[in-house]
Amino acid sequence: MAKLILSFDGTMLKTVELNKERTTIGRRPDNDIQVDNLAVSGLHAAVTTVLNDSVIEDLNSTNGTLVNGELTQKHLLKHGDVIEIGKHTIKYVVEATTATPFQDFAKTMVIRRPDAAARQAPGEHASTPSPAPAPAPVQMPPRAPAPQPAAAAPPPAAEPSQPRTAGLQILSGSSAGRVLDLNKSLTTIGKAGVQVAVFTRRPVGFFVTHVEGDVFPLINGEPLGTQARQLNDQDTIEIAGTKMSFFYK
C-alpha cells in the first residue's frame, strides 16, 4: 500500500496511508494532512488514488506545489517522489507486499526422508529382532490392458474480454455536440477553483469522483456526494455548469 510521510526540517511528523480515493492537504484542520504554515493554502493540494496509481494535483494554491523540486499542477506519483508544500516535505512511498504467515511457514518447512534403520548410540545394541526376509514375489500372468475411453475434445479457449470504451458528449454551452473520449485510466474535467471531477476506468466500469469545489457535480439531477459513483450508460452529468452525457461505445 502507498503512503505519504510528512516531515519538517528532517523530522517526521505524520504518516498517512492512501486507503481512500481522495486525500487532501492544506492548512485547514479538516484536511487529511494538515500543514500548519502560513505559506500553505487552506486547501492546497489533493492526492487521488485509483487502484495502484496516485496523482497529486495543486488546487490553485497561492504558493504552488513542487514535486522533486519542480513546480507542478498535476503529477503521477512514483515511489520516492518528494512533494514540497511551504517549508514541509511529503514523501510518497510504496511498500512492498509482505509474505503471508503461510508463505513464511512454507519456506522453512523441511521434509526429511526416513532412515533405513534406527540410529544407535555407540555401545548400544538393538533390542528388537531382525525383520524376517520378505517372501519371493509370485509371478502372475500378464493381463490385457483395459480399453481406454476416447479423450474428450478440449473446450474452445475463451476469448479474452476487452475493456469497454466510453465517452462524454457535451450537451450545453459553446462546445455542445463535442465528444470527449475517456481513453485514459484517469481523466479530470471541470474548472480549477470552482468544480472539478475525475473520471476513472476500472475493470468493472467507469466511476466519477468529486475532487474540488464546495458544490458537488450533479448526476441525473442529484448531487454526486463525497463517494465515487459508478456510471451507467446515458447518465447525465453536470460539472461547473456544463451538461454532458456518458455513453459506452
Side-chain angles (χ1 to χ4, degrees):
M1 176 179 292
K3 63 182 179 181
L4 298 175
I5 302 175
L6 174 67
S7 301
F8 178 76
D9 198 19
T11 302
M12 188 176 68
L13 303 178
K14 186 177 184 180
T15 299
V16 175
E17 292 185 349
L18 297 178
N19 53 12
K20 60 180 184 177
E21 289 200 23
R22 187 171 187 252
T23 302
T24 59
I25 307 168
R27 192 176 70 253
R28 296 201 309 247
D30 58 341
N31 286 287
D32 298 298
I33 299 179
Q34 183 188 11
V35 182
D36 190 9
N37 188 288
L38 293 178
V40 179
S41 299
L43 182 59
H44 195 103
V47 176
T48 301
T49 301
V50 179
L51 299 179
N52 296 325
D53 294 329
S54 295
V55 175
I56 185 167
E57 182 175 5
D58 183 84
L59 300 181
N60 199 27
S61 65
T62 302
N63 295 314
T65 301
L66 281 75
V67 178
N68 300 328
E70 296 185 3
L71 194 65
T72 184
Q73 180 64 33
K74 185 184 297 185
H75 178 81
L76 177 63
L77 292 169
K78 301 181 293 296
H79 174 70
D81 279 351
V82 177
I83 305 161
E84 297 178 55
I85 294 181
K87 296 183 179 180
H88 290 68
T89 61
I90 302 173
K91 187 172 184 180
Y92 177 75
V93 177
V94 179
E95 294 181 331
T97 304
T98 57
T100 63
F102 175 78
Q103 290 172 324
D104 291 338
F105 172 77
K107 291 179 181 178
T108 57
M109 184 173 62
V110 177
I111 301 176
R112 300 184 183 275
R113 296 178 59 187
D115 295 334
R119 295 185 178 180
Q120 300 177 8
E124 290 184 354
H125 300 279
S127 59
T128 56
S130 300
V138 179
Q139 298 292 331
M140 299 295 293
R143 294 192 304 172
Q148 300 294 326
E159 296 183 359
S161 58
Q162 298 295 328
R164 301 184 68 182
T165 57
L168 294 170
Q169 183 173 16
I170 309 300
L171 302 179
S172 64
S174 58
S175 300
R178 180 185 174 188
V179 174
L180 302 176
D181 291 327
L182 298 176
N183 52 12
K184 300 179 180 179
S185 60
L186 187 148
T187 303
T188 303
I189 295 178
K191 294 181 180 179
V194 179
Q195 193 177 73
V196 178
V198 61
F199 293 79
T200 55
R201 181 173 60 187
R202 305 183 188 180
V204 296
F206 285 79
F207 288 74
V208 60
T209 308
H210 173 69
V211 296
E212 183 181 347
D214 296 331
V215 180
F216 295 112
L218 299 178
I219 308 295
N220 300 326
E222 298 180 356
L224 172 60
T226 58
Q227 301 299 318
R229 176 167 171 176
Q230 186 171 5
L231 292 168
N232 297 313
D233 196 32
Q234 302 303 319
D235 274 349
T236 300
I237 307 160
E238 183 173 346
I239 302 174
T242 301
K243 289 185 178 180
M244 55 197 79
S245 177
F246 172 83
F247 65 94
Y248 280 106
K249 296 183 180 180

